[in-house]
Amino acid sequence: MMKQEELFLTVLSDHKGILYKVARAYCPDPGHRKDLIQEITLQLWRSFDKYHGKFKYSTWIYKVALNVAISYYRKISKEQERVFSISDSILNFPTDESEDIYQEDIRLLYRFIEGLKPIDKAIMLLYLEEKSHQEMAKIIGISPSNVSTKLHRIKTYLKEQFSQHTA
């Protein structure tokens, strides 16, 4: 039989992609991303003995990770309001013309997702993971109809952002 620590490490290893996706969406800065992943991991460990198996591990991990990320995002946002920084777009230098356009679209999508409200960001991440509206509702703690409404608005917003960027 597996010890608690071994089971936790196995679950974490099997679902580490969730942590990276959530951290990427909430923290564009790599240093903050690493801190957020550590904070999520710590909170998962602290609550691991309370996991009751009612939901899949991935659902539980998303729920914890998104809650931690939203709190972390709010904390970092308040700190950054007090700090002057030069926009990344000002410092971006032209890249090789042969760069894959698909990769540019993915970068744009993540940039647009970064601009969403914390809950909308969570919904979009779960949508990209092909979670059902029911599962998204369980993870985030809102009704499935609220998920549908928010998702429709988010998609409309993202389409507008893409069309403005390509115009």
Side-chain angles (χ1 to χ4, degrees):
M1 185 150 160
M2 231 188 265
K3 291 194 303 187
Q4 185 84 346
E5 295 87 4
E6 292 171 350
L7 179 59
F8 175 75
L9 291 174
T10 300
V11 169
L12 190 63
S13 177
D14 291 347
H15 297 90
K16 66 185 171 191
I18 294 171
L19 278 62
Y20 297 129
K21 288 174 190 167
V22 170
R24 172 70 176 91
Y26 283 85
C27 292
D29 176 76
H32 287 302
R33 233 180 279 152
K34 187 177 179 181
D35 291 344
L36 177 57
I37 290 169
Q38 289 176 347
E39 184 63 27
I40 292 169
T41 303
L42 177 64
Q43 293 306 321
L44 286 169
W45 172 246
R46 286 181 175 165
S47 63
F48 192 64
D49 62 338
K50 297 175 188 127
Y51 175 77
H52 48 72
K54 183 178 178 183
F55 301 110
K56 296 186 287 186
Y57 279 123
S58 61
T59 302
W60 170 72
I61 290 171
Y62 263 118
K63 188 172 186 89
V64 172
L66 289 169
N67 285 329
V68 171
I70 289 168
S71 296
Y72 188 85
Y73 175 78
R74 288 179 181 148
K75 178 182 130 192
I76 294 301
S77 294
K78 287 179 184 175
E79 288 174 8
Q80 288 178 343
E81 285 175 7
R82 294 175 281 187
V83 177
F84 172 77
S85 64
I86 297 173
S87 169
D88 287 343
S89 62
I90 292 172
L91 298 176
N92 281 345
F93 294 99
T95 57
D96 183 9
E97 292 296 323
S98 65
E99 183 173 84
D100 188 5
I101 292 172
Y102 177 72
Q103 290 296 327
E104 179 61 24
D105 286 346
I106 290 174
R107 271 190 235 108
L108 273 175
L109 176 61
Y110 271 103
R111 192 173 93 205
F112 298 149
I113 289 172
E114 286 170 8
L116 295 172
K117 296 175 191 169
I119 296 296
D120 293 347
K121 202 179 290 190
I123 290 171
M124 194 63 206
L125 284 175
L126 295 171
Y127 173 77
L128 291 172
E129 283 293 309
E130 300 179 354
K131 299 292 183 187
S132 69
H133 290 181
Q134 193 72 23
E135 194 166 1
M136 285 187 235
K138 285 179 190 171
I139 291 169
I140 296 171
I142 61 177
S143 71
S145 62
N146 199 349
V147 167
S148 295
T149 301
K150 286 183 173 291
L151 191 54
H152 176 73
R153 290 179 185 156
I154 295 166
K155 286 180 181 180
T156 301
Y157 167 78
L158 291 174
K159 285 177 189 174
E160 289 171 3
Q161 292 300 308
F162 270 106
S163 66
Q164 287 175 8
H165 189 270
T166 57

